[in-house]
């Protein structure tokens, strides 16, 4: 709806591409019926190496850990990696992406929506409240935007990548709480 276009997809069953764009809803129906993207007729089959080398603006590893290692990071032809999985980039791959100037939105920031919404559920249960979808979406947008802003500011201040900046923000929050509670003098 905002102009993005999916040009390639891969799962355990195979990979494929369509430079004109893949209809996500039709592909999802195919995956439900057939168990994977392999055989989806609106995209041309491709190898894993071809998939990793697909020219695109954004690459979204959204399934497994350690998908981007030193070797696969060299294949990517993208400007941005948005980590939708937990730990999809290993340290060697991360160093390679930084070296190549490929920006990374780390999993701790990009993949945090589910954890945040789980926290919202916990709060609602604890308070015997019910929030409708609009309220949850609004609160989630506010939290994620706030986190993104803090990470962006830390990256600028410390002249570091966003993963390091995410850790700086997290550790700073822990430090503040420890100081306020007098845990460590």
């Amino acid at each position: 709806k905002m102009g993005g276009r999916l040009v390639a997809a891969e799962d355990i069953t195979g990979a494929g591409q369509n430079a004109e764009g893949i209809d996500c809803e039709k592909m999802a129906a195919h995956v439900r019926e057939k168990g994977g993207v392999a055989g989806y007729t609106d995209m041309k089959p491709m190898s894993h190496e071809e998939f990793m080398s697909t020219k695109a603006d954004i690459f979204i590893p959204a399934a497994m850990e350690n998908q981007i290692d030193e070797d696969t990071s060299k294949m990517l032809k993208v400007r941005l990696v948005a980590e939708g999985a937990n730990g999809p980039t290993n340290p060697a791959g991360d160093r390679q992406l930084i070296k190549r100037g490929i920006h990374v939105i780390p999993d701790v920031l990009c993949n945090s929506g589910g954890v945040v919404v789980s926290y919202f559920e916990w709060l609602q249960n604890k308070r015997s409240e019910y929030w409708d979808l609009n309220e949850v979406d609004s609160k989630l947008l506010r939290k994620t935007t706030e986190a993104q802003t803090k990470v962006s500011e830390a990256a600028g201040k410390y002249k570091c990548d966003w993963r390091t900046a995410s850790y700086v923000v997290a550790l700073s929050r822990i430090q503040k709480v420890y100081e306020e509670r007098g845990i460590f003098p």
Side-chain angles (χ1 to χ4, degrees):
K1 293 178 183 178
M2 297 175 73
R5 184 172 36 137
L6 179 64
V7 296
E10 179 181 46
D11 66 12
I12 194 73
T13 66
Q17 70 176 353
N18 182 335
E20 301 303 313
I22 298 167
D23 184 317
C24 296
E25 291 179 16
K26 286 182 182 177
M27 185 174 66
H30 170 86
V31 169
R32 281 190 299 275
E33 182 182 329
K34 304 291 184 181
V37 301
Y40 180 57
T41 56
D42 289 345
M43 59 185 199
K44 178 184 162 200
M46 63 196 315
S47 70
H48 173 69
E49 290 74 19
E50 290 170 319
F51 172 76
M52 295 299 287
S53 299
T54 301
K55 187 172 177 9
D57 293 322
I58 305 169
F59 179 71
I60 306 171
M64 303 181 314
E65 293 180 341
N66 298 313
Q67 295 174 63
I68 303 174
D69 58 23
E70 187 170 12
D71 295 329
T72 56
S73 65
K74 293 175 184 175
M75 295 180 200
L76 295 176
K77 296 177 184 167
V78 299
R79 296 185 302 171
L80 173 70
V81 172
E83 295 183 336
N86 294 328
T89 306
N90 74 18
D94 204 36
R95 284 190 295 276
Q96 198 57 234
L97 294 174
I98 292 167
K99 181 179 173 183
R100 295 185 56 214
I102 297 174
H103 186 70
V104 176
I105 304 173
D107 56 353
V108 70
L109 189 61
C110 188
N111 186 23
S112 62
V115 174
V116 173
V117 172
S118 292
Y119 170 70
F120 291 165
E121 280 184 336
W122 177 81
L123 276 180
Q124 290 174 79
N125 288 336
K126 191 123 175 92
R127 298 174 178 171
S128 296
E129 295 178 356
Y130 172 78
W131 303 342
D132 65 27
L133 183 58
N134 288 336
E135 188 172 0
V136 171
D137 283 347
S138 174
K139 289 177 184 296
L140 178 61
L141 179 62
R142 189 169 53 253
K143 284 282 187 198
T144 55
T145 301
E146 178 183 300
Q148 182 272 329
T149 299
K150 287 180 180 178
V151 169
S152 179
E153 289 170 353
K157 180 179 179 179
Y158 297 104
K159 310 242 183 293
C160 62
D161 63 275
W162 275 37
R163 186 181 316 282
T164 302
S166 295
Y167 297 148
V168 167
V169 170
L171 290 170
S172 296
R173 289 179 66 190
I174 292 170
Q175 177 186 6
K176 182 180 176 187
V177 169
Y178 278 8
E179 288 171 352
E180 288 174 355
R181 293 181 183 171
I183 295 175
F184 296 113

